[in-house]
Each structure stands twice: as C-alpha cells, then as structure tokens.
Amino acid sequence: MPTVVVMDVSLSMTRPVPVEGTEDFQRKHLAAHGLTMLFEHMATNYKLEFTALVVFSSLWELVVPFTRDYNTLQEALSNIDDYDKTCLESALQGVSSVVQQEWGASIPCQVVLVTDGCLGIGRGSLHNSLSSLSQRSESNRFPLPFPFPSKLYVMCMANLEELQNSDSLDCLERLIELNNGEGQIFTIDGPLCLKNVQSMFGKLIDVAYTPFHAVLKCGNLSSDVQVFPRPEPVVLDEEIDPMPKSINTELEIVGFIDIADISSPPVLSRHLVLPIALNKEGDDLGTGLTDDLEDENSASQIAGKVPNFCVLLHGSLKVEGMVALVQLGPDWHGILYSQADSKKKSNLMMSLFEPGIEPLPWLGKTSQLGPISDAKENPYGEEDNKSPFPLQPKTKRSYAQNVTVWIKPSGLQTDVQKILRNARKLPEKTQTFYKELNRLRKAALAFGFLDLLKGVSDMLERECTLLPDSAHPDAAFQLSHAAAQLKLASTGSSEHAAYDQNIVPLQTDFSGRGCDRM
C-alpha cells in the first residue's frame, strides 16, 4: 500500500541535540537519519511501494510526489529548509488531498508522521484543533479519520519522559483514536542519539514494512515466494469474540478450477506473488539489492537459470485459463491466477476470499469439491460447453459494454471533439456522426447534463455557418437537423428527452450526382 511520509520542518525541529564528535546536530538531523534508514530498507525489501514526501510547518508542501525512486526521496531530505510554527491540522488535510488525488478513497495508505512532539501554540496548534472538534461544522471537519483506509504511525524525535511532561502524548494518542484506532506512536528509548533513533525506526519496519515470505506448495513441488503487499489480519464481525486471522506462511494449492467457473468473485484483497530464488546454500538471490552492479547481474542470471515452481505455475495458469485454489488457513481459501498488465507482461496474483467454509455460494463448500475423475461422466460435457456450477448464462453484461465515463474533463472534451470531427466530414461520415451523437445524448440524459446538449447544439449550428462553399448540401441539412433535435432534448420534456429514443439521419433528395451538377 502507498506510504506518505509527513515531516515536521518547524523551528522546534532545529533544537540542538548533544551528539559526540559533532557540532550543531539538530532533531531534524535525527529525523533525516531515521527516514534514510527507512528508505534504504524499502528500496531493498519493498521495491514496489509508492512513497511520497510531504513537509509542513504552518503550511504544507508536497516535496516528492508518489515514486519508487528512493534516491530522489533521500536527496530531498538533505535539501529541506526550516520554516515557522507547527500546524499539524493543515498537514493532515494536505495528506488527505494528496492521497485522494493520486489513489482515490478506496486504496489503503500508510501515513508516517515525523515530529518532535512540539505541537504548536495558540491558534492552529493541535491542542486548539482537538478542543474545538465538537463545535465544527461538516464543511470544516477535522481531517481525521481520513476518507480512505489508513494507518497513522507517529515517529517522535523525543523520549517518553519529554512527551509526558507536556500534553503532547495525550494529543498524539487522540490522533490515533480519531483515526479509528489504526496506527501507533513510537518514541525514542533513552537519550536522543543516532543509535536509539535507528532502534525506533527498526520497530516501525517490524510493524509495517516487513516483507511477507511464504512457501507455495502443490504436492511435491514448492517455491519460496514473497506476497506483496503484506496481507493484513482479518477480523470477522459475525463472531461473538472476534480474533484477527492471519494467513499461513505455508500456502498449499488444493486444486484447480476453470476461470469461467470462478467468474469475478468478491475478494478481501489482491496481492502480487513474486518468486524468491535461492542458491544452494539457501541465501536469497531474487530479493535485495547488491552494492556491486556486476554481482547483481550475476545473481539475476543465476536466478534465471534455476527452475522455479512459481514460474511454472504462472505459465500453466495463463495458458490453460484456470485458477488455483489455495488454502490460506483453517476454513480460509484464496485463488492464484495470471493477470495481464499489457499484451506482453503478466503477473501471478493472489486474491483472498472471506474466511469461511463457503466463500463463493455457487461453488458450495470447498471441502466437498473434488476432481473431475470422481464423476461418473464429465460434468463439463464432451464438447466442454457446460459447467457443473449454477453459473449465469453467457449474456452480454452492462459492464462489458463501452460505457461513457466523464470523470475527468478530458473524457468529455474527447467525445465532443469526435462529434465535431465527423460533422466536418459529412455526408461521408453520416452514420458515425449520428452514432457518436446518440451516445453523447444518452449519457447526458442519464447524468441529467441537459446544458451539455444545449452547448453541443450551439456548436453544430456554428459548424453549419462555417461550412465552405464546396461542402455537400446534405451536410448543412444534417447539422441543422441534429442541432434542432439536441435543442429539443435539452428542454427535458418527456416527448423529446426519452432515453431510448435515437436521433436518426434526415432523409434528403440530395446525392453525389446532384452535387456534381451544382
């Protein structure tokens, strides 16, 4: 899941810290040292993680947008300036804006807040923000909880004693509480020094950034794999005394199912399954970064020559059009399948079902599934045109059609430009022109976007006046007809704004021969 690092660059972070052998060492240097350690770990073990860097004082700034280039992040740390007072609320609002703009509101995100525990004074301070929670309107709500699933980790460049002497610890604990209890506060154990900062960031790595390694087994075949992102423990609401369930580190394939029988099932999460190559001594070859480029290349070459069950499984599932049913724990299953990123690239993915004996109703209980050879006759039929499961017939679903999406202005602009391009090529493009026109008309009526119909109608009337003298007479008639029909639909009256009604081309007596005579 993406990570946003939020670093405090207020004046309080410039307070000196006594460190042997160095002069003018500040708390921001401790923070930069800890974050460098975190970035180096992620570059080695979490290469696929997207990370952004935000700095804040009274205002916030996105220094590095989401990237996988950890060298850029480390360079940015060394070039950060000092600013004024701390205003944590504006920083959290900035994080919310950055994440939603890049990932939306459904992708889980981890927020690492690095501060010294001085949370501001007076208006704009965290204490002031928390004390006014009950008096806020909906338009001025506090940014926590975030509108997306998140975990908030607070890294304090201070020890527990220092935080307890002020009300900082209580305010920070209140932040975690407001984020639905998702997150944790880390403090420096003992005096402020580089060693203790490393220890604190090491605890964060253990909690949130430890790669999940497992063994994928199928009969006598097995392969060491990394599951990314790390699967989170699942808590079932139906249980009286719910306990978090974690997947096993031994993932056993219990069978294979036709991909059409699985269809598009509801899942808890999706993960990449990456093979880890091991040499004869059992050391990792497929993960980690070597310091020497030649060593890295030789390790990759060795890994590419070693047979790997994970690679075999991926290729087989892709060719056969099947999924592998994998056991994650007691009464808990998932599926392994090949998912294509592009025409040439695909990945082995794992989707986790909800824990239970019957995760997909149409498959029944997973414990009662068996091989085809146990059946008296082939349940798929001699021509492989049937299914033993109660699946829906192969009808054309709504989401399989080309639906009109106008989430971004560019999508709407493209559709309007397509109509205008065809309008300039009338009458040759008459059929395409009306097809695109009716598609836009239906979408506008469905969205209640009647002003769009009026606007496109005005555009077509303008195009009609700009037609050159050499244009076919039929073009002017068709443009005027289409503009008039759109203008009638824009009124919203039931007679002219029926969704199922299409604008049909105007029947004229003009032809290509008539155009030649003129």
Side-chain angles (χ1 to χ4, degrees), residues 81-290:
D81 296 325
D82 305 322
Y83 292 93
D84 49 6
K85 67 174 187 175
T86 305
C87 183
L88 194 51
E89 182 177 348
S90 70
L92 296 174
Q93 286 172 343
V95 170
S96 180
S97 172
V98 167
V99 173
Q100 287 187 89
Q101 189 172 358
E102 184 73 24
W103 303 101
S106 59
I107 302 297
C109 187
Q110 301 192 117
V111 180
V112 179
L113 171 62
V114 183
T115 182
D116 61 341
C118 291
L119 305 176
I121 299 171
R123 189 172 182 180
S125 67
L126 183 60
H127 185 273
N128 179 263
S129 297
L130 294 176
S131 62
S132 62
L133 285 179
S134 58
Q135 303 162 7
R136 291 171 179 252
S137 62
E138 185 60 31
S139 60
N140 189 33
R141 64 180 290 274
F142 192 71
L144 291 180
F146 289 120
F148 48 87
S150 66
K151 290 191 176 182
L152 176 63
Y153 298 107
V154 183
M155 314 302 292
C156 291
M157 298 297 115
N159 53 38
L160 194 58
E161 258 182 60
E162 190 178 341
L163 293 174
Q164 286 175 338
N165 290 336
S166 62
D167 63 348
S168 297
L169 187 62
D170 294 335
C171 290
L172 293 174
E173 287 175 345
R174 179 73 174 131
L175 284 184
I176 304 296
E177 200 178 301
L178 287 171
N179 199 44
N180 300 320
E182 296 290 341
Q184 194 173 337
I185 299 172
F186 296 88
T187 59
I188 296 175
D189 294 332
L192 273 62
C193 62
L194 295 176
K195 182 180 177 182
N196 290 340
V197 168
Q198 286 180 347
S199 175
M200 178 178 70
F201 274 87
K203 292 176 183 175
L204 170 66
I205 289 170
D206 291 340
V207 169
Y209 296 101
T210 303
F212 185 87
H213 290 169
V215 178
L216 181 62
K217 296 182 67 178
C218 181
N220 294 323
L221 300 173
S222 65
S223 174
D224 292 277
V225 296
Q226 178 181 345
V227 179
F228 181 88
R230 184 184 180 88
E232 295 292 325
V234 176
V235 178
L236 294 179
D237 295 334
E238 297 84 24
E239 294 181 353
I240 299 173
D241 189 13
M243 291 289 291
K245 290 189 175 184
S246 301
I247 73 171
N248 295 339
T249 53
E250 188 173 292
L251 308 174
E252 186 171 359
I253 295 175
V254 295
F256 299 90
I257 304 176
D258 197 302
I259 199 166
D261 293 334
I262 286 290
S263 191
S264 181
V267 296
L268 293 174
S269 56
R270 296 179 178 87
H271 308 264
L272 273 172
V273 179
L274 308 170
I276 301 173
L278 299 175
N279 61 17
K280 292 180 181 178
E281 286 75 29
D283 299 328
D284 287 359
L285 291 178
T287 59
L289 295 173
T290 55

Side-chain angles (χ1 to χ4, degrees), residues 3 66 90-91 122 168 176 234 312 363 408 440 452 487 495 504 506:
T3 295
F66 284 100
S90 70
S168 297
I176 304 296
V234 176
L312 171 67
L363 291 185
K408 296 181 179 179
L440 180 134
L452 173 65
K487 194 165 287 186
E495 183 182 352
V504 295
L506 183 67

